[in-house]
Amino acid sequence: FFQAEDGIRDKLVTGVQTCALPISGEIVLATITKLTDHGAYVTLDEYDNMQGFLHVSEIAPGWVRSVNKFVREGEKKVLLVKKVNPGRSEIDLSLKQVSKEQQKKKLLEVKRVEKGKTLLDAVKTSADLSDKEIEKIEDLIFSKYDFVYDAFLNVATNGVEMLDELKLPKKISSAIQEVSSKIKPPSVEIRGICELTCGKSDGVEVIKNAILDSIGDEKSRISATYIGAPKYRLSITGPDFKTTERMLKPVLDKIQKVIEKSNGTFSFTREESKKTREG
């Protein structure tokens, strides 16, 4: 029931690379399998456990007296591919040349791949699909998304209509929608304290209405809590910091305008922002 071009899926197949060898400069995830005086042998998780070698000089800056102080058998490490010898299938790797940012990015990518595989397994069970049918779904998803998980997250956030262009059968779309409904989209929360005063006889009502009117129809995303005169806490949630900041600004502007028009005072002090994990 699918039509997918051969060769589309040249990135990942349920988390395993289809290419024969990695390329120089690539960041990979590896498992330490054996320690020696000269370094450590590893298997590359994304390349069907292909073997590589991490020389002692590439483990850490300076002189490494003991390899096992830096790596242990069974431990997973994010490594840089230094050199590949296709003829002998030799892969030289480096740990010391991997930055913290590269390590963090790679681990996040691996996590997304693992989540994607779990989600596809759930769709397979829900829709009673064969391995071949699941592979075809992967092909179609990879034609639009870098990661399977991103497709499911998009559905969880914006609805199953996001996959319309993939022309999936109704049974598949329904299964994806059902599985995606269990994903908690990532969000951020920006909080701060508004200090508001109003010298009018009905100053409390002025302040209350200023806050409620500024929130308007965004009550599901914005909340206001009375702490104690003259302080009120505003909390606003959104999909990312940039979007949430854009939502917050007009709210604060409206409150300030109303309060100052009533000869009151306005100030806003930020509290620590929070970011939730994807789930």
Side-chain angles (χ1 to χ4, degrees), residues 235-277:
S235 173
I236 180 168
T237 59
D240 53 69
F241 284 111
K242 188 175 181 179
T243 301
T244 309
E245 286 283 1
R246 286 201 303 264
M247 294 166 57
L248 175 63
K249 188 178 186 306
V251 171
L252 295 178
D253 288 345
K254 287 180 182 179
I255 295 175
Q256 182 175 7
K257 184 177 180 180
V258 172
I259 295 300
E260 291 182 349
K261 187 176 181 180
S262 300
N263 297 319
T265 62
F266 166 92
S267 70
F268 179 74
T269 305
R270 289 180 180 276
E271 295 180 298
E272 183 179 358
S273 299
K274 297 180 180 179
K275 183 176 183 180
T276 65
R277 293 181 178 179

Side-chain angles (χ1 to χ4, degrees), residues 2-279:
F2 294 103
Q3 290 183 344
E5 295 181 7
D6 292 337
I8 284 180
R9 192 160 53 109
D10 59 356
K11 294 183 180 180
L12 301 166
V13 179
T14 59
V16 178
Q17 294 273 6
T18 60
C19 301
L21 291 168
I23 59 175
S24 297
E26 185 175 346
I27 302 296
V28 298
L29 183 69
T31 302
I32 308 298
T33 56
K34 181 181 179 181
L35 302 184
T36 73
D37 292 338
H38 302 292
Y41 287 96
V42 309
T43 54
L44 307 186
D45 292 20
E46 300 154 288
Y47 286 89
D48 202 22
N49 293 324
M50 185 178 296
Q51 184 173 278
F53 187 69
L54 175 62
H55 192 267
V56 64
S57 64
E58 291 295 331
I59 290 179
W63 182 41
V64 175
R65 182 187 296 271
S66 179
V67 172
N68 61 15
K69 286 187 177 181
F70 296 90
V71 294
R72 299 186 301 274
E73 289 186 7
E75 185 179 24
K76 292 187 180 296
K77 288 290 186 180
V78 176
L79 305 175
L80 169 74
V81 178
K82 278 196 65 184
K83 183 180 178 182
V84 177
N85 186 335
R88 301 178 62 181
S89 295
E90 292 179 347
I91 303 171
D92 294 330
L93 303 152
S94 174
L95 174 60
K96 73 178 184 181
Q97 294 186 46
V98 177
S99 68
K100 289 184 179 180
E101 187 61 32
Q102 288 174 316
Q103 181 183 43
K104 180 179 178 182
K105 182 180 179 181
K106 185 63 182 180
L107 291 175
L108 285 174
E109 288 179 355
V110 170
K111 188 175 181 181
R112 292 178 98 79
V113 169
E114 292 173 347
K115 285 183 176 181
K117 184 179 183 302
T118 299
L119 292 168
L120 280 179
D121 285 344
V123 169
K124 178 183 177 182
T125 300
S126 176
D128 192 23
L129 302 176
S130 66
D131 290 342
K132 188 173 182 179
E133 288 171 326
I134 281 293
E135 287 183 6
K136 288 180 178 179
I137 293 174
E138 279 187 307
D139 284 341
L140 291 175
I141 290 177
F142 281 134
S143 71
K144 181 180 178 183
Y145 297 90
D146 291 332
F147 296 93
V148 169
Y149 179 74
D150 292 345
F152 283 79
L153 181 60
N154 196 16
V155 171
T157 306
N158 302 303
V160 73
E161 299 80 14
M162 295 297 101
L163 299 183
D164 282 352
E165 65 184 271
L166 298 184
K167 295 181 170 49
L168 297 170
K170 179 64 176 178
K171 180 177 75 169
I172 307 300
S173 296
S174 297
I176 291 178
Q177 185 176 29
E178 178 188 351
V179 172
S180 298
S181 67
K182 300 174 184 178
I183 298 175
K184 182 180 178 181
S187 65
V188 300
E189 178 189 22
I190 296 178
R191 304 198 312 172
I193 303 296
C194 277
E195 291 195 34
L196 309 173
T197 64
C198 181
K200 289 188 174 184
S201 58
D202 61 343
V204 174
E205 284 299 311
V206 171
I207 291 173
K208 178 181 176 181
N209 290 332
I211 294 174
L212 292 177
D213 290 344
S214 68
I215 293 175
D217 297 328
E218 295 290 342
K219 292 180 181 179
S220 61
R221 293 180 176 271
I222 306 173
S223 65
T225 307
Y226 176 66
I227 299 176
K231 297 182 178 181
Y232 302 79
R233 173 176 285 113
L234 286 184
S235 173
I236 180 168
T237 59
D240 53 69
F241 284 111
K242 188 175 181 179
T243 301
T244 309
E245 286 283 1
R246 286 201 303 264
M247 294 166 57
L248 175 63
K249 188 178 186 306
V251 171
L252 295 178
D253 288 345
K254 287 180 182 179
I255 295 175
Q256 182 175 7
K257 184 177 180 180
V258 172
I259 295 300
E260 291 182 349
K261 187 176 181 180
S262 300
N263 297 319
T265 62
F266 166 92
S267 70
F268 179 74
T269 305
R270 289 180 180 276
E271 295 180 298
E272 183 179 358
S273 299
K274 297 180 180 179
K275 183 176 183 180
T276 65
R277 293 181 178 179
E278 299 173 6

